[in-house]
Amino acid sequence: MMKLFIPLVILQLLSLSTTARGVDSPGDSAAVNVFYSKMQQDIVWLTPGKKNNLQVLAGFFRQAPYLGLEERDYQAQFIYAIATDFPDTFPSSAMIAADRQITMKALHFFCDVAYGPVNNVLVRYNGLGTLTDRYSAMPGLLAASLQSDSFELFLQRIEPADTAYAKLKQAFACFYDALTDTGFTETPVISLKADTTNAALMKRLQQLGIADSTAAGGLRDGIIRAQEMFNVLNDGVLRSGFLHELNISFTVRQRELKDGLNQVRWLNAYQPHTMIVVNVPSTDLELFVDNKPVLYSRVITGKKSTPTPTLASRITEVVLYPYWMVPYRIATRELLPHIKRDRHYLDDNQFEVLDRKGRITDPAGINWQSLSTNNFPYVIRQNTGCDNSLGIIKLNFYSPFTVYLHDTPGKSLFMLKQRFFSHGCIRVEDAVMLSRLLLDNASAAMLDTLIKEGPRSDQKPVVIPIRSTVLVFVVYNVAWADPAGKVRFYEDVYKKY
């Protein structure tokens, strides 16, 4: 009986570890089963005489480095080898197993392209979980593209249809090309001379893909473009802060772009829900409804010493005229010293003192000098009103960090370029408009009426439920696209890179 010849590359593929990044988890095996049931055949990629789809797949894998993905995550070299040394033997159990392995790698790759690598730690707290229905749809999408002979367009179709994604991808490819150029070197820009004798500056602008700056007036324009890219004062004058951003290595910049690219993919998995996206380094917020941006607002985020945590959650309610329940750390470390020096500090700032059972306590009967950061059996609450530190609006969502979106009476800080002043919460410049857009018509009308009337002297918080699903994402991306779609690099204020 004649033995079937099985190419070495197929044997190598079958011998691959099945533990790499959870690729062969039960969920992935189930997805592979769904794919073959829809194809109604055991062999798809290794069918004799039909090598085109496998070659197209190999071509997709070769694009991985330009997509912010790693070829090794999909064992791409083996796919390339099989596409080159395509088997012409009859089907066998080994062939079927190899074909399934290829499918598993393909589904893994396409899910990463559409929704980002599953092992990315994008947020510290994810209260939304994984949207498994998105991933479970991929086998059907892949099968349909193969059956309709449109597989060549499949990669393009599953990528996020998002301007920010396209711009980040383009920028990432530019940096990747520069880093993989054999002649690439990092030359620090030291001189503050803004002329063509500053060779290091000229070289860096060229590496950044900024057009030739040797023409008359061209250098100043090139510097301004670079300043805009790095979100510094764009006046064409060289300063130390700009040089610092300019000299951050391309390797770091590429990693920042890669994280931004995969963050957009991950957010794409939650479309088309109503979504609020706050990016901490750029200190801005965007509201998306039906995949379209409908509101942009500047925000204030946490100081370096009290950073804003990254998270994903659901906004459940708008609180008009909220109390501010002062966090223990702030109460004991910041307010207590003021109270010890000046007993009128509480009244002057509309603070009340509550005991552990939530009852209002007369501050005159408290021995403040005996209290400390380790001995403070009280809660300090700031009363409602326009002078409340939360302003007149608070948007609640659950997280383990006791942070939320809120208004603020300190509007002047929004005019600054660097807006890192909070204790971790997110102050929203357009908090009222944001709240109005999240509420139904009747609730929004009630909100407007109550704001117009203003708070009463004994005003209590008014809680207005949000009846639709509203997701909130607080992310940290140094490389991010602004509302106009232009990629910028923001200060890494929390030193994560």
Side-chain angles (χ1 to χ4, degrees):
M1 184 175 181
M2 186 176 70
K3 294 183 179 179
L4 292 174
F5 169 70
I6 302 175
L8 176 60
V9 290
I10 293 182
L11 293 175
Q12 290 174 316
L13 182 63
L14 290 172
S15 68
L16 292 176
S17 169
T18 59
T19 60
R21 276 191 24 155
V23 175
D24 295 351
S25 68
D28 287 314
S29 296
V32 170
N33 291 336
V34 170
F35 171 77
Y36 283 100
S37 69
K38 290 183 178 296
M39 293 300 295
Q40 296 183 330
Q41 59 191 86
D42 292 329
I43 296 182
V44 174
W45 309 101
L46 300 178
T47 302
K50 291 186 178 181
K51 63 187 297 184
N52 182 61
N53 285 334
L54 184 60
Q55 291 178 334
V56 171
L57 178 63
F60 288 160
F61 280 11
R62 288 190 176 94
Q63 295 182 48
Y66 286 93
L67 298 170
L69 302 173
E70 302 290 338
E71 289 174 283
R72 64 176 177 270
D73 287 342
Y74 319 104
Q75 281 75 46
Q77 295 301 323
F78 294 99
I79 308 298
Y80 302 156
I82 295 172
T84 301
D85 186 16
F86 194 83
D88 292 320
T89 59
F90 293 100
S92 67
S93 59
M95 273 311 202
I96 292 172
D99 204 84
R100 292 178 65 87
Q101 284 283 350
I102 294 171
T103 298
M104 196 167 286
K105 309 307 176 189
L107 290 173
H108 180 187
F109 172 72
F110 291 131
C111 282
D112 284 0
V113 169
Y115 309 122
V118 295
N119 67 335
N120 265 15
V121 181
L122 299 168
V123 294
R124 287 177 59 193
Y125 168 76
N126 183 1
L128 304 177
T130 301
L131 297 184
T132 54
D133 58 320
R134 299 293 184 187
Y135 297 95
S136 63
M138 192 60 69
L141 295 173
L142 177 57
S145 73
L146 291 165
Q147 290 168 337
S148 62
D149 293 325
S150 60
F151 184 52
E152 294 88 347
L153 303 174
F154 188 64
L155 183 64
Q156 178 184 343
R157 287 174 178 169
I158 64 170
E159 287 187 274
D162 186 283
T163 300
Y165 172 81
K167 294 295 185 180
L168 284 163
K169 176 184 170 184
Q170 182 181 21
F172 182 86
C174 178
F175 276 72
Y176 178 80
D177 280 338
L179 279 170
T180 53
D181 188 324
T182 55
F184 177 84
T185 57
E186 298 268 12
T187 305
V189 182
I190 300 172
S191 172
L192 294 176
K193 287 185 177 181
D195 59 41
T196 55
T197 64
N198 192 339
L201 172 65
M202 303 297 290
K203 181 178 180 180
R204 198 56 157 180
L205 293 177
Q206 183 183 29
Q207 290 172 339
L208 290 170
I210 293 176
D212 181 44
S213 303
T214 58
L219 178 57
R220 185 174 184 276
D221 290 343
I223 293 172
I224 289 174
R225 285 180 58 193
Q227 289 172 330
E228 291 173 348
M229 181 184 295
F230 296 117
N231 197 45
V232 298
L233 182 62
N234 57 335
D235 59 358
V237 177
L238 300 188
R239 297 182 179 86
S240 59
F242 172 51
L243 261 57
H244 170 76
E245 295 296 323
L246 204 61
N247 287 329
I248 291 177
S249 75
F250 263 44
T251 301
V252 171
R253 292 302 188 194
Q254 186 187 38
R255 190 162 72 250
E256 293 169 350
L257 284 164
K258 178 179 180 178
D259 286 351
L261 194 60
N262 285 318
Q263 185 86 76
V264 172
R265 288 189 175 113
W266 183 74
L267 292 172
N268 181 58
Y270 293 91
Q271 296 284 11
H273 291 291
T274 297
M275 295 170 47
I276 295 170
V277 180
V278 176
N279 185 40
V280 174
S282 59
T283 54
D284 61 14
L285 170 155
E286 283 192 272
L287 170 65
F288 296 86
V289 178
D290 294 330
N291 296 358
K292 297 178 181 177
V294 298
L295 176 71
Y296 167 83
S297 177
R298 291 177 289 195
V299 300
I300 291 168
T301 54
K303 298 176 288 188
K304 295 178 183 179
S305 58
T306 55
T308 296
T310 57
L311 57 88
S313 190
R314 286 181 174 86
I315 298 207
T316 55
E317 59 193 17
V318 172
V319 182
L320 179 64
Y321 303 125
Y323 288 130
W324 180 37
M325 310 302 289
V326 183
Y328 186 90
R329 179 185 177 93
I330 298 175
T332 57
R333 297 194 178 191
E334 298 185 27
L335 301 192
L336 183 58
H338 287 292
I339 299 168
K340 287 181 176 182
R341 288 193 299 267
D342 179 7
R343 198 64 50 82
H344 297 292
Y345 179 82
L346 292 168
D347 289 336
D348 292 345
N349 291 279
Q350 301 296 309
F351 286 120
E352 293 179 325
V353 181
L354 311 180
D355 64 18
R356 285 177 172 170
K357 294 184 178 181
R359 298 172 299 195
I360 296 176
T361 301
D362 183 0
I366 297 174
N367 181 1
W368 291 99
Q369 299 303 323
S370 68
L371 302 180
S372 67
T373 56
N374 297 319
N375 174 33
F376 194 81
Y378 302 101
V379 173
I380 296 180
R381 179 178 75 185
Q382 190 174 38
N383 283 328
T384 64
C386 297
D387 294 329
N388 184 287
S389 294
L390 304 185
I392 63 171
I393 290 283
K394 174 185 172 186
L395 291 94
N396 274 339
F397 54 86
Y398 173 76
S399 83
F401 308 116
T402 319
V403 297
Y404 28 79
L405 303 172
H406 65 85
D407 182 32
T408 176
K411 304 291 187 183
S412 61
L413 293 177
F414 289 112
M415 301 305 295
L416 300 176
K417 200 174 188 69
Q418 301 292 322
R419 298 187 292 273
F420 306 100
F421 300 106
S422 82
H423 288 88
C425 281
I426 300 154
R427 307 175 198 171
V428 183
E429 183 175 29
D430 294 323
V432 174
M433 177 60 74
L434 175 62
S435 300
R436 187 181 293 122
L437 291 170
L438 300 181
L439 296 170
D440 57 43
N441 291 337
S443 296
M446 180 179 74
L447 178 74
D448 289 340
T449 299
L450 291 173
I451 291 175
K452 185 176 181 180
E453 292 174 353
R456 300 188 302 269
S457 58
D458 60 343
Q459 182 68 57
K460 299 293 188 290
V462 179
V463 178
I464 309 174
I466 295 176
R467 307 190 188 282
S468 59
T469 299
V470 178
L471 310 184
V472 59
F473 300 91
V474 181
V475 298
Y476 189 95
N477 292 285
V478 172
W480 201 238
D482 66 17
K486 183 177 291 186
V487 173
R488 296 179 185 271
F489 293 92
Y490 297 93
E491 181 187 359
D492 180 16
V493 65
Y494 299 161
K495 306 302 179 189
K496 294 193 175 186
Y497 289 91

